Amino acid sequence: MSITRRLRSARALARLGRHEPRVAPVALGRVPRSVAIIMDGNGRWARQRGLPVGAGHRAGAKALKEVVRRARDIGILDLTVYSFSTENWTRPQAEVDDLMHLFTELIERELPELMDEGVRMRFIGHRGDLSDALRARIEEAEATTAGNPGLRLFIAMNYGGRQEIVDAARRFAAECGPDAGIEEFGALMYGDLRDPELVIRTSGEQRLSNFLLWQSAYSELCFADRLWPDFTPADLEAAVAEYGGRERRFGGR
Ligand code: IPE
Ligand code: IPE
Ligand code: MG
């Protein structure tokens, strides 16, 4: 991104601050490099409109597209989004089947545009339990976008934070020596995403629901009341601005 564009984004962000910043206004240095989003509220969005739940998931996919573009524009480097948890299999079979079709369709449909935008896609979670068709799309998306220089979009699909930690623990026991510690253990997490400085959850719920348990140890949490399909790029900027006003201490003074 050009320096003028970065400055313009930074100024726009500073204007969006919800509170009078106590420290510095949001400046370039305070745009988080890594942001994670728990995209929640699709079901309620659909219910409020008397629509089937699938309509909520489709509206959620549209919201994601805009948010990915804005994340890239404001200089976020890694964006991780929670698409399907290891617990979401317990939903009605019709919803699960519909979601799996939607994911398969979406990856295929959005791939050309994501390529144009230079986005690199990575999927985290257990892909072995997904359908052959979806797994094929995932592998294709990862391979096609692997050389892209832009935003790294991590999609948490059949992802569970506890499962990730158990998987890492197995490998740690098998592969790491007695001197290995936190750094070596952390390196065994799925993908190579940076720990998110900011985790956003929409729909007013205030919990992690098994998302990035290891990586979010010191993340700033931002809870937005809006249901995910209504979440806009401006809401992302507002969350980033809120993050910019937070004082991070990491246990120190
Ligand atoms: C998030 O929206 C999408 C997935 C979990 C796949 P929900 O479907 O959980 O929406 P609510 O929480 O029922 O409103
Ligand atoms: C978390 O939302 C999972 C995703 C957004 C994909 P859920 O709707 O599954 O979480 P709970 O059930 O409200 O904790
Ligand atoms: Mg939910």
Side-chain angles (χ1 to χ4, degrees), residues 124-139:
I124 56 171
H126 275 204
R127 59 185 71 180
D129 305 329
L130 305 173
S131 72
D132 291 346
L134 178 51
R135 211 168 40 251
R137 292 283 86 81
I138 286 177
E139 280 159 15

Side-chain angles (χ1 to χ4, degrees), residues 21-162:
R22 274 185 300 127
V23 256
V26 177
L28 282 178
R30 294 307 306 263
V31 174
R33 291 175 311 166
S34 178
V35 174
I37 307 182
I38 302 171
M39 309 183 290
D40 195 20
N42 296 351
R44 276 162 284 171
W45 186 93
R47 210 163 39 247
Q48 284 172 5
R49 287 162 178 75
L51 296 170
V53 67
H57 294 313
R58 278 161 184 78
K62 274 196 189 150
L64 175 60
K65 199 170 159 173
E66 299 302 312
V67 165
V68 168
R69 192 170 294 144
R70 186 64 58 91
R72 180 205 58 182
D73 288 347
I74 64 177
I76 290 167
L77 303 177
D78 289 358
L79 179 68
T80 307
V81 294
Y82 206 4
S83 305
F84 194 85
S85 74
T86 45
E87 289 71 45
N88 286 149
W89 296 107
T90 61
R91 292 188 177 199
Q93 194 59 46
E95 182 181 354
V96 171
D97 290 346
D98 182 49
L99 268 170
M100 294 300 148
H101 281 121
L102 175 64
F103 295 144
T104 312
E105 218 177 84
L106 267 176
I107 299 171
E108 187 169 20
R109 198 172 67 221
E110 299 303 329
L111 191 55
E113 207 171 314
L114 289 163
M115 272 306 282
D116 286 347
E117 293 176 357
V119 172
R120 193 166 3 149
M121 279 171 97
R122 300 283 305 276
F123 289 76
I124 56 171
H126 275 204
R127 59 185 71 180
D129 305 329
L130 305 173
S131 72
D132 291 346
L134 178 51
R135 211 168 40 251
R137 292 283 86 81
I138 286 177
E139 280 159 15
E140 183 194 5
E142 287 185 337
T144 316
T145 63
N148 284 349
L151 176 90
R152 301 196 307 166
L153 176 62
F154 292 89
I155 300 185
M157 176 84 70
N158 191 21
Y159 170 90
R162 287 180 168 176

